Amino acid sequence: MNIIAPFLLPKGGYKKLRAYQIATLIYDITFYFAHTYFPKNDRTIDQMVQAARSGKQNIAEGSEIATTSVETEIKLTNVAKASLEELLIDYEDYLRVRNKSQWTTNHPRFEKMREYARSEKIFTDYKRQLPKMNNEELANLCITLINQATYLLKRLIEKQQIVFLKQGGIREQMYQARKEFRGQP
């Protein structure tokens, strides 16, 4: 009997992905934000928290399912990106309807916020910073983080497509492994 190496290689490792780490921050900050700045019975709380959760969870699920389905991995990564885009609109709406500023590149605080959001420091001190920031600052922080995460997710989807083109889907891999097992070229 021919012995071959397994063709289903373990995937995962999503906790090391910067996009997942940022999505976790987005979830935590959104949970705090929604429960702090909306009335308790406002449906927006659940919608924002669920969009943030979906962003984070679909990155993890896509990464884990990659062992058997690159197609599903790509779909779930795209769902994560779409969920974060939905959340982005919620934050933009929040600022707009309350006449708060959305910090764009010409805003005096934009660059400092973007620098903070890119830093490693944010991962260790954001919980201490949440109560010190007002609603406009927190919304703009999340907008900045969401933009970072969606950029990273777009790049991840591009990489996943390349993996699919190189390795094919599970059926192609299974067929190839079976041919090799039988000693066929």
Side-chain angles (χ1 to χ4, degrees):
M1 181 176 240
N2 295 344
I3 298 176
I4 61 166
F7 61 92
L8 290 179
L9 302 175
K11 302 284 173 87
Y14 61 89
K15 289 184 179 181
K16 294 178 184 174
L17 290 174
R18 182 73 172 196
Y20 178 80
Q21 294 166 359
I22 294 171
T24 300
L25 286 177
I26 292 166
Y27 174 80
D28 291 355
I29 295 168
T30 298
F31 189 90
Y32 175 87
F33 181 91
H35 286 92
T36 302
Y37 295 109
F38 287 102
K40 290 183 192 280
N41 61 349
D42 193 324
R43 288 185 42 211
T44 309
I45 294 170
D46 289 338
Q47 290 171 331
M48 288 181 74
V49 170
Q50 287 307 313
R53 182 185 182 280
S54 177
K56 181 174 84 67
Q57 298 301 105
N58 278 291
I59 294 169
E61 188 176 352
S63 178
E64 288 299 320
I65 205 155
T67 299
T68 57
S69 179
V70 177
E71 179 186 357
T72 304
E73 177 190 27
I74 293 169
K75 285 179 182 178
L76 289 171
T77 304
N78 196 54
V79 169
K81 186 173 79 57
S83 294
L84 293 176
E85 291 283 352
E86 176 187 342
L87 183 60
L88 175 68
I89 293 168
D90 285 334
Y91 277 111
E92 291 171 342
D93 288 348
Y94 180 90
L95 292 171
R96 188 185 65 258
V97 300
R98 288 165 180 80
N99 294 317
K100 304 281 183 179
S101 294
Q102 182 175 339
W103 302 351
T104 57
T105 53
N106 59 358
H107 190 280
R109 296 184 66 190
F110 174 81
E111 199 54 49
K112 189 171 183 176
M113 180 63 78
R114 190 163 77 168
E115 213 174 276
Y116 175 64
R118 284 182 177 168
S119 73
E120 291 301 314
K121 181 180 179 186
I122 193 170
F123 294 102
T124 56
D125 82 346
Y126 77 96
K127 287 181 182 178
R128 286 190 312 273
Q129 295 302 321
L130 293 180
K132 297 176 185 176
M133 299 173 89
N134 64 37
N135 58 351
E136 182 179 318
E137 292 166 330
L138 281 173
N140 278 289
L141 174 59
C142 267
I143 287 170
T144 303
L145 290 167
I146 291 167
N147 286 328
Q148 285 180 14
T150 56
Y151 171 79
L152 292 171
L153 290 171
K154 285 176 194 172
R155 292 192 57 215
L156 182 58
I157 290 168
E158 291 168 3
K159 289 179 183 176
Q160 291 166 345
Q161 290 175 71
I162 292 168
V163 167
F164 178 77
L165 291 173
K166 287 181 179 178
Q167 298 176 359
I170 185 68
R171 289 192 177 151
E172 291 170 286
Q173 292 173 30
M174 290 170 71
Y175 176 74
Q176 188 61 38
R178 188 132 170 92
K179 278 179 36 178
E180 288 173 15
F181 179 77
R182 290 178 173 173
Q184 297 173 351

